[in-house]
Every structure is written in structure tokens, then in C-alpha cells.
Amino acid sequence: MAQFTDCPPLVGWLFGQGSRVGAAWRWPRGPCDVRSALPLALHERPNALSAVLAIVNLPDAGRSYEGKRGPRVLGYILRRLLNTLFLVFIAASTGYLIASVALFPRGNYEAALEPPPKEAIDAVLNRSNVNDEVPLVERYVTWVGQVVQGDFGIDLEGNVVNEEFARRISVSMRLLLVGSILGATLGVLIGVVSAVRQYRLFDRGFSLASYFLLSTPVFLLAILLKFGGIKFNDWVGTTVFYTQGEYSAGFEGTDWEFFVNRLQHLILPTLSIALGSIAFYSRYQRNSMLDVLSSDHLRTARAKGLTKRQSLFRHGLRVAISPMATFFAYGFGLLMAGAVFTETIYGRFGMGQWFVTAVAKNDINSVAAVVTFTAVLVLLSGFLADIILVALDPRVRSR
Amino acid sequence: MTTESVTTTTAGTDGLSGERLSRGTLIRRRFLRNKLAVVGLVIVLFMFLLAFVGPHLTKWSYTDNDFDNLLSAPSSEHWFGTTQVGVDVFAQTMRGLQKSLIIGLLVAIFSTSLSAFIGSVAGYLGGRTDRGIMWVVDVLLVIPSLLVLVILSRYYQGKSWLLLVVGLTIFDWMITSRVVRGLAMSLRERDFVRAARYMGVPTHKIIARHLLPNMASIIIIAATLNVGGAILGETGLSYLGFGVQAPDVSLGTLIAEGTGAALTYPWLFMFAGASLVLTVLAVSFIGDGLRDAFDPGSAKSKKI
């Protein structure tokens, strides 16, 4: 393998020190020839976007990079980054422009029994930069100027959108992170076991359950879980699951008790989000595992004397899990939609619930902030998926 | 794609005593042999029948109020019970089912046609057209569709529900179009397409005559599976109050209205919820059954 100079350390970090690409980036030694290592890394994931967009088993003949020389890594990463930033910009702008056209904040005040004088309304609207008498282009340019500096403006009540954003993001991220990690891990586990025990009771039971779960919309699942939790509380005679808010108002106790109280509030909403993902991941993991189980390399592993279990863990699992990384990226974006419902139903004041109330209040700046957040989330998880995939894919790792 | 080979290779094993079967017959047989798919088909047909014939079976309309029976449990008078204002839940559910089914079906048909068209144009023409179209697809996939549809709902509030269909369609065609594009790219290099091209057949005719018929199976499967997705999308929006608007009802609005008091009066949302899950489940069974019937090679293990 060729040695490299002038190579940014970022790449080694990105692809992992143990990976072939990462090792190739040890510098400074020799000329920087990425051609030998990079196609391996790019073979499966030529484009950052495809991680967000592609559903792994779609035939995508257009993206074949075979026979082409690998582009330079730094250029590739920069292009990726630029592309991502550009897409966030487009998504955020679309959100803002659509919100500006569809929402009508002036109506909030004009619909009042005794509408305030026009000057007063204009003053409020101007403060938030949502006055419909100012041309849309002008408002948009002002908004972009603010957002580029990380300022999402002021909502109609005069609150700073950034402060609300900061309060709510942690509420949502707790739910989404726990939900998605739980969903992905359990889903993968169940999928693997289902494949190994194909057509046995475990497999059939979970297959049926996931069919039902995949056909149940998040909001219905959340409602059913909420009712189930309330019934369960009645049955045991004490409150095990809370179904409203983040923690009990005015709760007093030690840190540990407070943590437990928060946990009791978190269980059902998290389940509402996670169950769907578990069903989703387990189906795909099962298929991918079944493919691997009947593959030649696993048979070879068995032939050279490994037990079934050993061959599975050493050679099967990683290959079967790696396509899931792409789904993870795709699924994380979907989760935000789930959060809209779950947070509304469980009275949690997160980003999703904020969005619904902001639309109802014609609050353009808050709406645009949530849309931007979601687009960033989707693209970030795309990046994450790329990194996970490169870390897992045996074709990229050394030996 | 593998039309000829499927017919010839499987005719011997599938057909009775070596008779030659047409592809249609084969697919039908394979589909009917799949129990889950048949059950799904029966359920969907039953739901359609129920949604369109059901309202005529009861004397109550979904807008009538029976003030003698407020919040009454299911009985012979009101099969699914009544609501707080005495509206017959059966009539409501049938009406909601009707709306959700129509919207789901229309969105699936429109979005699949759109994706078949756009995907095959992109795949067949390739080059700059392809890159441009795929870029639009990428952008649309990054824009959070649910959020945008919620925002847009303020714009079409009070207008026809057909605008909802348009909205759902706009955000529903991208993934299928990528599949179609991939297929079109491989078909483009096939001899019969090349022959047509060299004989001077214009592009639109090649797409209509040679590409689309050869992708029909995939398109039909996608359309079926899209029905379920579209129904879920519509009910979700309606649940939040941003989809089908009162006085009209959909399964989503019924569930939303029912949940308030549903802990004590479960019939308020139970039937709407059950018919929603059952319909989507049945549609996905049909989709899987079709996939197995069209392409037995991918059967079983490829199922999701």
C-alpha cells in the first residue's frame, strides 16, 4: 500500500485509525496516493447524500463508481460538506418561504373582537420581520442574514426564538436519541435472532408483531400505549407510568428520585417512537441476515471448522449489520415526524409540539427554526451513517 | 424484464401437465396460492364495500344527531355506539374510511404515475437531465415533508380535499422514482431498446412502449405499497387537524376526536383505529403477495 503525505488528519479520524483508509492516512510519509485506498471506502457510499436518501436495496445503477478513479479525499469531504450545507440552506429556505406564504400572522390580531390599531399590529409584525406588507423578498433576505449569524429572530410574543430553541432541543433529543438507539439496537438484535431461528416460534411471533406495528401509525400507537399505561396504573393501584409532561410538577426528592420520576415520564413516549423502529429495523435486519447466512463465506468459515456460533459472530454479523447504517440515517429523519405526534400526545414541550403550536399561532420564525432543525438532523444522521458504515464494512477495514 | 424466461422456465413446474400458461395466469395462480395476500385482498375489498355500501345500511348519516342517545354503547340501534353529540359512530367511521381510502388510492396512483414518468425519463435520457432530476429528488427528500404539509394546510384550509391529495403526492414520488430510474438505466442498454432507438423511434414512444411495460411489475407493486403509506400520511395530518377538515371526516380526525373521552368510552375511536390498521396491514399483504407473484426469485427472504 502506498504511503501518504499532505493528508489531513481528519480523514484518519473519520475513517478510524484501524481502517485501511485510516491507516493509509498516516502521515507524513511518501506521496499522497489515495487511489488505492479510497475506492474501497467509496465503493458503497460514493455520495454523502445517498446515505440520507437511498434505501439500501434500491437498484441504483447510476451510482456505480467502478472503473473510475477515486476522487481526492479532501476534495470529496469538502464537496460533501458544501453539498450538505447547501441542502440545509435549501430546506430551511423552503420552510421559511412556504411558511411565509401559508401563514398569516396579521390575522391573529385582526380576528380579535376589538382589533388593535393598525400601527400597533404593524409594530408587532415588524419586530418579528413578518409584516406581510413588506415584500417577501425583503423579509427573506433579512431572515437569511439573521440565520447565517445563528439568530432565528423573535416570535410574535416578543420572545427570542433561539432561547425557546435551546429549551426545547434537549427535550426532543432525549426522546429521539433514546428512542432511536433503543429502536435500532433492539431491532437489529431481534432481526438477527429471527433470521437464525427462521420459521420458529420466535421468528413467527415477531414477524406478525412487526407487521402490525408497521401498519399502525405513530399517533395511534402512542394513544394506545397511553391508555394501556393508565389502565396498568389503575390495576396496580399506583402510578408507574406518567403520561403528561417531562416530570411531575413540584416534585421534591433526591436526585435519584427525580431521575426515576423523569424516567417514568419518558418510558411510554420512548416506546411509542421505538416500537415502530424496532419493527422496521428487525424486518430489514432479518432479510440481510438471511442473505448472509446462505452466503459462501459463511459456509467456508464453517468448513474450516468454526462452530455455527463462531462463524456467525466472527464473519456473519458485521456484514449483515452494515446495510442497516443507511436505514439508521433514513429512520432518524422519520423520527422527527414521530416526535410531532408523540410530544403532542404526551404533553412534552419539545420541538415537535412547538412546531404544531407555532403553526397554529402563525408564528413564521419558530416554524422556520423547526424545519431547519429537522433538515440538519436528517443530514447529520446521514453523515453519522456514513461513518458507521465505513467503520463496519470489512472491505474498508484492514485485515 | 425477465418476462420470457419466467414464462418458459416456470411453465413446466407451475403448469398442470405441461400446459403452456400465459404470464398473467401464472402470476394470478402464484398470487392466489399466497394465503396472506388473498386474505389481504379480501380485507381490502371488504373495506371498500363497507365504505361505499355501509352508509346505506344504516338510517343514520354521519351528520345526524340522535339526541336520545348521547354516548351510548354499541347496540342494535347504533352499531358502533354514538358520540357526545349523538352522532352515529358507524356512519362516521364508514364516511371516514371512504375518505381515507379514496385519498390513499388517488395519492398512490398519482405519485406512482409521476415517479414512473420522471424516473424513466431520468434513467433513459441520463446525463444532465438525469443529474438535474435526481438533484431535485435529493432536495425534496431532505425537506421534511410532514412539516411542510402541515404548514401548507393553513393555505388550503377551507378548500377542497383534492388539494390535500396534491400535497401528499408532491412528497410521495421520490423514492419510487429512484427505483424506476435504476430499472430504466439497465433497460436502456438492452438490445430491443437499442434497436428501437437506432430505427429512429422517438424517445417518448420508446419510454411508453418499451420501458414502462417492462417495468410494469415493479410499478404495480410500488403503487400498492404506496397506498398504505399514503393512508398513513393522510390520517397523520388529519389527526393533527391539518388534513381533512370538518365537517368532512377521515379516520385520522375520528381518532383525534375520539381520544379525549376514549378511556371511558372506547368505541369512540376503537373502530376507526382498527379499520385503519387493518386496511394498511391488508394493503401491505397484497403488496408482498404481488412481489412474490411477479418475482418468485425474491420471494420469502426479501419480504419486509
Side-chain angles (χ1 to χ4, degrees), chain A residues 262-389:
Chain A
R262 270 178 175 278
L263 211 60
Q264 285 174 311
H265 283 84
L266 193 61
I267 290 176
L268 289 180
T270 308
L271 270 185
S272 316
I273 282 192
L275 281 181
S277 320
I278 293 177
F280 178 81
Y281 288 118
S282 71
R283 293 317 293 165
Y284 279 100
Q285 182 63 59
R286 177 175 177 273
N287 290 342
S288 138
M289 195 70 200
L290 282 176
D291 285 348
V292 172
L293 283 180
S294 57
S295 67
D296 290 339
H297 79 269
L298 218 64
R299 200 176 312 130
T300 312
R302 292 276 280 134
K304 74 181 188 190
L306 293 184
T307 65
K308 195 172 176 190
R309 184 178 296 259
Q310 281 171 328
S311 67
L312 204 67
F313 279 111
R314 282 196 204 156
H315 302 284
L317 215 48
R318 177 175 285 162
V319 183
I321 287 177
S322 59
M324 288 308 113
T326 315
F327 287 116
F328 188 69
Y330 179 69
F332 208 83
L334 281 183
L335 278 183
M336 189 57 202
V340 170
F341 295 106
T342 316
E343 287 176 0
T344 312
I345 289 167
Y346 285 94
R348 301 171 73 84
F349 298 110
M351 304 292 284
Q353 195 266 352
W354 187 26
F355 178 74
V356 175
T357 48
V359 170
K361 281 199 258 175
N362 288 307
D363 183 355
I364 296 170
N365 286 337
S366 304
V367 166
V370 180
V371 174
T372 311
F373 167 74
T374 312
V376 171
L377 205 64
V378 170
L379 288 164
L380 265 186
S381 54
F383 262 126
L384 193 68
D386 264 10
I387 293 171
I388 293 176
L389 191 78

Side-chain angles (χ1 to χ4, degrees), chain B residues 222-263:
Chain B
T224 314
L225 293 175
N226 280 346
V227 173
I231 292 179
L232 288 181
E234 178 270 318
T235 48
L237 279 174
S238 300
Y239 174 82
L240 289 174
F242 299 113
V244 172
Q245 302 287 334
D248 218 333
V249 292
S250 102
L251 291 179
T253 61
L254 289 181
I255 292 172
E257 284 163 22
T259 41
L263 209 51

Side-chain angles (χ1 to χ4, degrees), chain A residues 49 53 211 223 287 291 359, chain B residues 138 154 259 288 301-303:
Chain A
L49 258 182
L53 314 167
Y211 262 120
I223 293 168
N287 290 342
D291 285 348
V359 170
Chain B
D138 288 357
R154 297 301 297 263
T259 41
D288 285 345
S301 73
K302 291 283 185 233
K303 254 191 335 199

Side-chain angles (χ1 to χ4, degrees), chain B residues 40-103:
Chain B
L41 188 64
V42 170
I43 292 178
V44 168
L45 288 179
F46 177 71
M47 285 290 174
F48 262 98
L49 202 69
L50 205 61
F52 289 93
V53 180
H56 302 293
L57 297 179
T58 164
K59 59 181 178 173
W60 303 103
S61 149
Y62 74 102
T63 47
D64 290 348
N65 300 65
D66 177 4
F67 293 112
D68 297 333
N69 289 301
L70 302 182
L71 275 178
S72 64
S75 62
S76 58
E77 175 76 10
H78 296 284
W79 297 339
F80 287 181
T82 59
T83 67
Q84 291 91 328
V85 288
V87 179
D88 185 72
V89 177
F90 178 77
Q92 257 191 344
T93 310
M94 291 309 106
R95 175 71 186 184
L97 189 61
Q98 217 179 71
K99 194 103 279 176
S100 293
L101 282 175
I102 294 178
I103 293 180

Side-chain angles (χ1 to χ4, degrees), chain B residues 11-183:
Chain B
T13 49
D14 269 283
L16 302 166
S17 64
E19 67 181 296
R20 233 184 126 72
L21 298 169
S22 74
R23 178 163 153 85
T25 320
L26 262 176
I27 290 168
R28 196 163 53 244
R29 279 196 190 171
R30 276 197 220 113
F31 183 83
L32 292 176
R33 215 182 295 144
N34 187 337
K35 284 198 199 82
L36 272 184
V38 174
V39 169
L41 188 64
V42 170
I43 292 178
V44 168
L45 288 179
F46 177 71
M47 285 290 174
F48 262 98
L49 202 69
L50 205 61
F52 289 93
V53 180
H56 302 293
L57 297 179
T58 164
K59 59 181 178 173
W60 303 103
S61 149
Y62 74 102
T63 47
D64 290 348
N65 300 65
D66 177 4
F67 293 112
D68 297 333
N69 289 301
L70 302 182
L71 275 178
S72 64
S75 62
S76 58
E77 175 76 10
H78 296 284
W79 297 339
F80 287 181
T82 59
T83 67
Q84 291 91 328
V85 288
V87 179
D88 185 72
V89 177
F90 178 77
Q92 257 191 344
T93 310
M94 291 309 106
R95 175 71 186 184
L97 189 61
Q98 217 179 71
K99 194 103 279 176
S100 293
L101 282 175
I102 294 178
I103 293 180
L105 204 63
L106 284 182
V107 171
I109 291 173
F110 289 155
S111 69
T112 313
S113 317
L114 195 66
S115 45
F117 173 71
I118 293 180
S120 51
V121 167
Y124 180 72
L125 292 180
R128 213 169 271 168
T129 323
D130 178 43
R131 273 200 304 267
I133 291 176
M134 281 306 118
W135 189 81
V136 173
V137 167
D138 288 357
V139 169
L140 274 177
L141 277 169
V142 173
I143 295 172
S145 59
L146 177 89
L147 305 192
V148 171
L149 284 173
V150 167
I151 303 171
L152 277 177
S153 73
R154 297 301 297 263
Y155 189 64
Y156 54 67
Q157 215 160 38
K159 294 173 193 150
S160 163
W161 54 270
L162 284 170
L163 282 173
L164 180 63
V165 173
V166 174
L168 283 167
T169 305
I170 290 175
F171 285 103
D172 202 29
W173 58 272
M174 293 87 73
I175 291 173
T176 316
S177 80
R178 288 178 73 95
V179 181
V180 171
R181 167 178 167 268
L183 288 173

